[in-house]
Amino acid sequence: MYKILKAEELADKIFLMDVEAPRVARHCEPGQFVIVKMDEKGERIPLTICDYDREKGTITIVFQIVGASTLKMAELKAGDSFRDFTGPLGCPSEFVNEDLEALKNKKMLFVAGGVGAAPVYPQVKWLHERGIDADVIVGSKTKNMLILEEEMKAVAGNLYVCTDDGSYGHAGMVTSMVEKLVKEEGKKYDVCVAIGPMIMMKFTCLMTKDLGIPTIVSMNPIMVDGTGMCGACRLHVGDEVKFACVDGPEFDGHLVDFDEAMKRQLMYKTEEGRAMLRLQEGNTHHGGCGNCGGDN
């Protein structure tokens, strides 16, 4: 059992929890995720790691209520426990393995939309702890939906806050702030990391491609099983078929086929849609192996 040490509501339907998971905390890196399960019969829920403390042996997760399982999960309090808390899973962010001196010469921009602020935070924090300041754009629909502003402010070189309705910070989408920083303020970036809703990542990548800024995205939003067995997170990255959970979750955003991924995301929610995907994709559908019998 994995004890919940803290549980709080960050915004409407968005919750943060600190969980006691020493083994995961010892080995995790920014960009990776965990799978949580409330009880023996509960749904497996993949969640990107928001923060970790190796000394205390804790992992911080942030999630949004999107269905019955996350609604039930939001009812858990400090002192309750998860049945399973599996991780770290997925590949760490690319820069974790880069030469540190070379990394210090890079100008990095992070763009976080909505709950995407949670997986962006540990990456920016990791860089800050190594003397590297990155610019960060955080966007939300309204001021009341904004999360982790103070935490992000403490680790970002420059923090730019956007709200779609103009209730706080810059009025407009995160893409308009990217354009403003580059075209109006003359900032130059070597790489952009964009994490958030699929549609936000798509249009951020269209913008950065036009601006000539290499961009990394996290495809965590399309993961279901988190082990490559369900096939839900199958996507095309350039000419290659990838699975977000085992090959990612981060990929070159300029090569991701977002339209295909978003269409697939909608289809996978229904049994009829899943059956159609099995028919269309054959042996490549189920984790890419076609031999495990998981569709039977």
Side-chain angles (χ1 to χ4, degrees):
M1 304 295 281
Y2 298 85
K3 189 176 181 180
I4 298 169
L5 303 180
K6 181 173 79 171
E8 63 175 304
E9 187 171 7
L10 296 179
D12 183 36
K13 298 182 179 179
I14 302 176
F15 294 82
L16 175 147
M17 290 179 178
D18 286 345
V19 182
E20 193 173 47
R23 186 188 64 80
V24 181
R26 279 197 304 271
H27 299 286
C28 69
E29 297 288 356
Q32 293 184 295
F33 66 95
V34 295
I35 292 178
V36 302
K37 190 175 175 183
M38 283 172 284
D39 50 49
E40 191 172 343
K41 296 183 179 180
E43 179 183 359
R44 296 162 53 85
I45 304 172
L47 296 169
T48 311
I49 294 169
C50 174
D51 201 2
Y52 53 90
D53 189 316
R54 301 200 197 283
E55 291 186 4
K56 294 181 180 178
T58 60
I59 294 289
T60 301
I61 55 174
V62 171
F63 64 95
Q64 187 170 22
I65 296 176
V66 293
S69 293
T70 44
L71 178 61
K72 183 179 177 182
M73 188 166 149
E75 296 172 354
L76 298 175
K77 307 296 181 186
D80 293 334
S81 297
F82 286 107
R83 169 65 175 79
D84 293 321
F85 197 88
T86 306
L89 299 170
C91 303
S93 300
E94 287 185 9
F95 63 75
V96 170
N97 297 313
E98 287 188 36
D99 177 75
L100 194 57
E101 292 306 312
L103 196 58
K104 288 180 178 179
N105 293 322
K106 285 187 176 182
K107 298 295 184 182
M108 301 184 70
L109 173 66
F110 288 81
V111 183
V115 184
V120 161
Y121 173 70
Q123 300 192 32
V124 179
K125 181 182 177 182
W126 188 95
L127 291 168
H128 178 74
E129 290 173 343
R130 288 155 181 80
I132 304 169
D133 288 330
D135 285 355
V136 181
I137 300 172
V138 176
S140 63
K141 290 182 178 180
T142 67
K143 181 180 179 180
N144 292 335
M145 295 295 289
L146 185 68
I147 63 170
L148 303 175
E149 180 184 8
E150 292 305 314
E151 290 85 349
M152 203 75 80
K153 189 180 297 182
V155 297
N158 295 291
L159 177 63
Y160 307 92
V161 177
C162 307
T163 51
D164 295 355
D165 66 353
S167 56
Y168 186 61
H170 171 77
M173 305 287 188
V174 292
T175 48
S176 64
M177 178 54 76
V178 174
E179 186 174 35
K180 182 175 184 293
L181 291 176
V182 176
K183 291 187 175 181
E184 295 182 24
E185 298 187 16
K187 285 183 172 282
K188 297 184 182 299
Y189 297 105
D190 298 301
V191 64
C192 171
V193 178
I195 305 179
M198 296 281 280
I199 193 70
M200 165 259 169
M201 291 191 290
K202 172 186 174 179
F203 281 98
T204 298
C205 286
L206 290 173
M207 172 66 68
T208 57
K209 188 172 184 178
D210 181 60
L211 296 172
I213 306 172
T215 301
I216 303 298
V217 297
S218 174
M219 299 305 286
N220 177 268
I222 64 172
M223 291 196 301
V224 175
D225 176 76
T227 63
M229 297 302 291
C230 73
C233 64
R234 180 184 191 271
L235 72 156
H236 273 91
V237 181
D239 295 328
E240 297 183 286
V241 173
K242 298 288 187 180
F243 290 83
C245 57
V246 293
D247 297 315
E250 296 184 356
F251 299 96
D252 183 337
H254 294 165
L255 296 180
V256 170
D257 188 332
F258 282 102
D259 291 335
E260 176 198 52
M262 287 188 287
K263 181 180 178 182
R264 180 184 182 80
Q265 187 180 30
L266 289 174
M267 289 182 69
Y268 210 84
K269 291 180 179 179
T270 68
E271 177 57 38
E272 185 176 347
R274 292 193 293 273
M276 178 62 73
L277 289 172
R278 287 195 295 269
L279 180 64
Q280 292 174 340
E281 296 165 4
N283 286 348
T284 68
H285 169 73
H286 197 77
C289 67
N291 298 315
C292 66
D295 282 343
N296 296 327

